[in-house]
Amino acid sequence: MALAKDIEATTADGTTNLPYTYVHTQTWARATNAITRMDLRRWRHDADGSGQEIIRRLPDLPRVDHQPDRAERKLLAQVPAAAKRYLVNSLHPYLPDPLPTDATALADALAPRKLATEPAYPRMLTGGVVALSSSQYLNREQRAATLRVLAAVPHINYLGQITDLAGRPGLGFAVSADGSTSQLVIDPRSGDILAAQERLTGRRPGLFSYILILERGHTASTATVVQPSPTQHPAGTGTQASDLDRQRG
């Protein structure tokens, strides 16, 4: 709650008049008996749902007990990229705009309140916040709302200062529920989620997902030329539109 009160506006908060939402993520995710590894840059036109993705993928790992490392990030940057264009109404936000800035309303949109007494509810609510933050641009008020949602998640614990896989420092929080432990890294200045990891215990223990949210902002256009991955911004305080627009080609 203290973070939600004190987070700062970012340079990227001043770019929301531009038509495309841009998000750059790297994701490790369980797919049945393997771990997929992907670098994704997505441009979504906020008004009509068109856009483009640039995707790099490493071969799947045939095991689920895996811990992502920085060497894999370097390999992802070297993989040939594939571009995919989307027609109108093909790309949809995780939640429809405008997003609620009231924490209770946002929590209800992320996880049904009728499930609040279920063991999986803390996991569902935490996962919803991560999914929202990794697919849509959140302004200062919306970031504050997600932090207030997290503050009310049952069983959430503060871990102190930790560093994500990209080397960015932040404040760590963990949620254990329903045979799962989720760990979040949050930038205390901007309130951005920098990274999130979920690991499962139980019958098939191991990694469920790890996501780095590397860049986010708005641009005037989609990228039209596939280029090598630029150096990532070390801080999690937003990306200037001029930086993102260099990727248009």
Side-chain angles (χ1 to χ4, degrees), residues 137-154:
Y137 185 79
L138 306 180
N139 61 31
R140 182 182 180 184
E141 291 75 19
Q142 292 162 348
R143 296 193 300 272
T146 62
L147 293 177
R148 291 194 295 270
V149 169
L150 289 173
V153 171

Side-chain angles (χ1 to χ4, degrees), residues 24 26 39 41 56 76-79 227-232:
H24 177 200
Q26 289 180 341
D39 181 292
R41 299 169 185 267
R56 290 178 168 84
L76 274 171
Q78 299 167 6
V79 174
Q227 300 176 343
S229 296
T231 301
Q232 304 300 339

Side-chain angles (χ1 to χ4, degrees), residues 25-102:
T25 61
Q26 289 180 341
T27 304
W28 289 253
R30 182 180 297 204
T32 311
N33 295 315
I35 297 295
T36 64
R37 300 175 290 174
M38 180 172 64
D39 181 292
L40 173 66
R41 299 169 185 267
R42 175 182 291 145
W43 292 258
R44 187 188 73 244
H45 195 282
D46 295 333
D48 66 19
S50 64
Q52 178 172 283
E53 292 180 340
I54 296 179
I55 302 169
R56 290 178 168 84
R57 288 192 62 165
L58 287 171
D60 294 351
L61 295 173
R63 61 184 186 278
V64 295
D65 188 13
H66 176 68
Q67 182 61 43
D69 60 40
R70 296 187 181 185
E72 289 176 284
R73 296 196 64 228
K74 293 181 180 179
L75 292 174
L76 274 171
Q78 299 167 6
V79 174
K84 183 176 182 179
R85 289 193 175 276
Y86 290 87
L87 300 176
V88 172
N89 293 325
S90 296
L91 288 175
H92 303 285
Y94 187 77
L95 290 180
D97 291 317
L99 292 173
T101 55
D102 174 77

Side-chain angles (χ1 to χ4, degrees), residues 4-245:
K5 181 180 178 181
D6 294 336
I7 61 172
E8 303 170 359
T10 68
T11 304
D13 287 337
T15 70
T16 54
N17 60 311
L18 298 176
Y20 286 90
T21 293
Y22 170 80
V23 180
H24 177 200
T25 61
Q26 289 180 341
T27 304
W28 289 253
R30 182 180 297 204
T32 311
N33 295 315
I35 297 295
T36 64
R37 300 175 290 174
M38 180 172 64
D39 181 292
L40 173 66
R41 299 169 185 267
R42 175 182 291 145
W43 292 258
R44 187 188 73 244
H45 195 282
D46 295 333
D48 66 19
S50 64
Q52 178 172 283
E53 292 180 340
I54 296 179
I55 302 169
R56 290 178 168 84
R57 288 192 62 165
L58 287 171
D60 294 351
L61 295 173
R63 61 184 186 278
V64 295
D65 188 13
H66 176 68
Q67 182 61 43
D69 60 40
R70 296 187 181 185
E72 289 176 284
R73 296 196 64 228
K74 293 181 180 179
L75 292 174
L76 274 171
Q78 299 167 6
V79 174
K84 183 176 182 179
R85 289 193 175 276
Y86 290 87
L87 300 176
V88 172
N89 293 325
S90 296
L91 288 175
H92 303 285
Y94 187 77
L95 290 180
D97 291 317
L99 292 173
T101 55
D102 174 77
T104 300
L106 182 58
D108 289 346
L110 293 170
R113 187 161 294 275
K114 64 182 180 181
L115 300 178
T117 58
E118 296 294 325
Y121 181 75
R123 179 187 182 192
M124 293 171 56
L125 196 53
T126 304
V129 169
V130 173
L132 176 65
S133 300
S134 60
S135 62
Q136 288 177 242
Y137 185 79
L138 306 180
N139 61 31
R140 182 182 180 184
E141 291 75 19
Q142 292 162 348
R143 296 193 300 272
T146 62
L147 293 177
R148 291 194 295 270
V149 169
L150 289 173
V153 171
H155 315 306
I156 191 165
N157 293 306
Y158 175 53
L159 303 177
Q161 283 206 341
I162 58 176
T163 302
D164 72 7
L165 196 58
R168 299 172 298 179
L171 301 182
F173 296 86
V175 176
S176 295
D178 195 37
S180 160
T181 296
S182 297
Q183 186 178 101
L184 310 180
V185 184
I186 298 175
D187 188 316
R189 295 167 296 173
S190 67
D192 281 316
I193 293 178
L194 303 178
Q197 178 177 222
E198 182 178 1
R199 300 192 71 88
L200 303 182
T201 54
R203 189 170 62 88
R204 296 182 65 239
L207 182 68
F208 185 75
S209 64
Y210 188 107
I211 184 166
L212 289 169
I213 308 174
L214 295 165
E215 297 174 302
R216 57 207 122 191
H218 286 79
T219 66
S221 177
T222 64
T224 56
V225 176
V226 176
Q227 300 176 343
S229 296
T231 301
Q232 304 300 339
H233 294 259
T237 55
T239 305
Q240 296 185 30
S242 59
D243 293 333
L244 298 178
D245 283 342

